Amino acid sequence: MALISPSRRLRRTPFSDGVEAAGVTAYTVYNHMLLPTMFESIEADYHHLKAHVQVWDVACERQVELRGPDAGRLAQMLTPRDLRGMLPGQCYYMPIVDETGGMLNDPVVVKLAEDRWWISIADSDLLYWVKGIANGYRLDVLVDEPDVSPLAVQGPKADELVARVFGDAVRDIRFFRFGWFQFEGRDMVIARSGYSKQGGFEIYVEGADIGMPLWNALMAAGEDLQVRAGCPNAIERIEGGLLSYGNDMTDDNTPHECGLGRFCDTQTAIGCIGRDALLRVSKEGPVQQIRAIEIPGARVPACDRAWPLVAGATRVGQVTSSIWSPDHETNVAIGMVRMTHWDAGTRLEVITPEGIRKAVVRGGFWA
Ligand code: THG
């Protein structure tokens, strides 16, 4: 593919200088912002992530901040997940749906206080939907995008690295919980979360000016841990079944089709704008659902459009993400498959741009 031209619309991040100095070799665009996708090579980055520790510029996971007395009420209007039991200090993975029950985003939501929430969004312009609801319902809440940029530290040595910079107390942070920690006198939220199955943290960096000092401190503290600049890794995330909004699902899909039913409490999520629609469709259950797909044999190209899944002459779904896995020595993929063909072991064919290949529906992901 040709290069993408830089411009002001394609936003840099507080860590872009560090990413460039570290030798980034490919970017994608996410929330109108640069997101690194490769340093040495996808496969070298993958092996390193699974063995050591990486610092990821995920500033493109922008925050939609809700601030004010109606913040909690607004949050519940956005999602079929029941938020009544959520306490400050917790993070929730949370489907966001429109009035038809279609997915608008799949963020991590950070509850800072009863009247202050961060919605850490995937790649869609969620801010406009949230502002529209806040204003249309005349809610007493401010909605905006603050100067907050997540920096992820992922990999088996993440605890050691983050403890060296922020102190041993970070080791006590539980999965999808956060605490407040200081760096050079600045308060930062540190959560145990991140877009990999290798473990680690996300540091919510408030103020672009402190981005590079923190980046440099992590890199200096981790020299003997072989710390490197990294990024969400295509192989690792497909093996782990981490979904990518806009790739694996869109606003045409319900959370149940996305396999996110465990994050929905549609009966009790009173106030959710998509609740009635989801109650209607969930009576029958989804007629298609996301599945792990194996494409055995030679390496397939990266999936940059939906590849039809067929059984004979019948289209029964599509593959939306795929890549060669060095550890599993096969092509790992994510697809949306019709009910008639979604059982584990079902043999299908997938139409790739390089020809027709065998595909097998799996019972689960690889991680
Ligand atoms: N972290 C933060 N913001 C984000 C992402 C993130 N915004 C964009 C994108 N990633 C949103 N999508 C996801 C997808 C999966 C997960 C988090 C965000 C995730 N899933 C766990 C899993 O599937 O194993 C389940 C989490 C749970 O059990 O609650 O972590 O990564 N800040």
Side-chain angles (χ1 to χ4, degrees), residues 30 61 93 106 108 120-122 176 195 197 202 204 242 263:
Y30 195 100
E61 297 169 351
Y93 182 39
D106 69 328
V108 172
S120 185
I121 62 171
F176 267 58
Y195 199 63
K197 292 284 193 183
E202 292 179 302
Y204 291 79
L242 295 172
F263 302 108

Side-chain angles (χ1 to χ4, degrees), residues 109-156:
V109 175
V110 181
K111 183 170 179 178
L112 299 161
E114 290 302 332
D115 62 356
R116 191 171 177 223
W117 303 61
W118 283 338
I119 306 175
S120 185
I121 62 171
D123 185 24
S124 81
D125 292 318
L126 193 73
L127 184 66
Y128 305 139
W129 170 255
V130 180
K131 275 182 177 287
I133 291 167
N135 285 282
Y137 284 87
R138 305 196 184 288
L139 301 183
D140 188 1
V141 62
L142 293 170
V143 179
D144 65 8
E145 183 186 300
D147 179 13
V148 171
S149 296
L151 185 65
V153 182
Q154 300 283 299

Side-chain angles (χ1 to χ4, degrees), residues 151-182:
L151 185 65
V153 182
Q154 300 283 299
K157 302 176 190 169
D159 276 59
E160 177 61 27
L161 176 56
V162 176
R164 288 183 187 180
V165 175
F166 288 93
D168 276 320
V170 300
R171 298 180 191 273
D172 298 328
I173 303 171
R174 292 195 283 151
F175 186 62
F176 267 58
R177 303 288 176 116
F178 70 82
W180 287 94
F181 296 84
Q182 280 211 337

Side-chain angles (χ1 to χ4, degrees), residues 30-31 56 58 60-63 81 91-94 105-110 119-123 150 152 154 175-176 191-197 202-204 232 240-245 249 260 262-263:
Y30 195 100
N31 286 321
W56 293 3
V58 284
C60 66
E61 297 169 351
R62 302 313 292 164
Q63 310 305 302
R81 187 161 180 183
C91 309
Y92 273 9
Y93 182 39
M94 175 172 121
N105 207 288
D106 69 328
V108 172
V109 175
V110 181
I119 306 175
S120 185
I121 62 171
D123 185 24
Q154 300 283 299
F175 186 62
F176 267 58
R192 191 180 289 278
S193 57
Y195 199 63
S196 88
K197 292 284 193 183
E202 292 179 302
I203 306 164
Y204 291 79
L242 295 172
L243 303 182
S244 170
Y245 185 78
M249 72 283 203
L260 300 179
R262 67 186 184 284
F263 302 108

Side-chain angles (χ1 to χ4, degrees), residues 191-260:
R192 191 180 289 278
S193 57
Y195 199 63
S196 88
K197 292 284 193 183
Q198 304 310 308
F201 301 93
E202 292 179 302
I203 306 164
Y204 291 79
V205 179
E206 266 189 278
D209 62 295
I210 199 71
M212 279 313 299
L214 176 60
W215 174 281
N216 290 330
L218 286 163
M219 289 299 175
E223 227 170 299
D224 62 307
L225 303 175
Q226 299 193 56
V227 67
R228 285 193 200 166
C231 52
N233 183 273
I235 310 169
E236 200 273 345
R237 79 108 184 148
I238 295 173
E239 287 178 358
L242 295 172
L243 303 182
S244 170
Y245 185 78
N247 287 319
D248 302 316
M249 72 283 203
T250 69
D251 60 1
D252 281 339
N253 303 117
T254 65
H256 302 278
E257 289 178 345
C258 303
L260 300 179

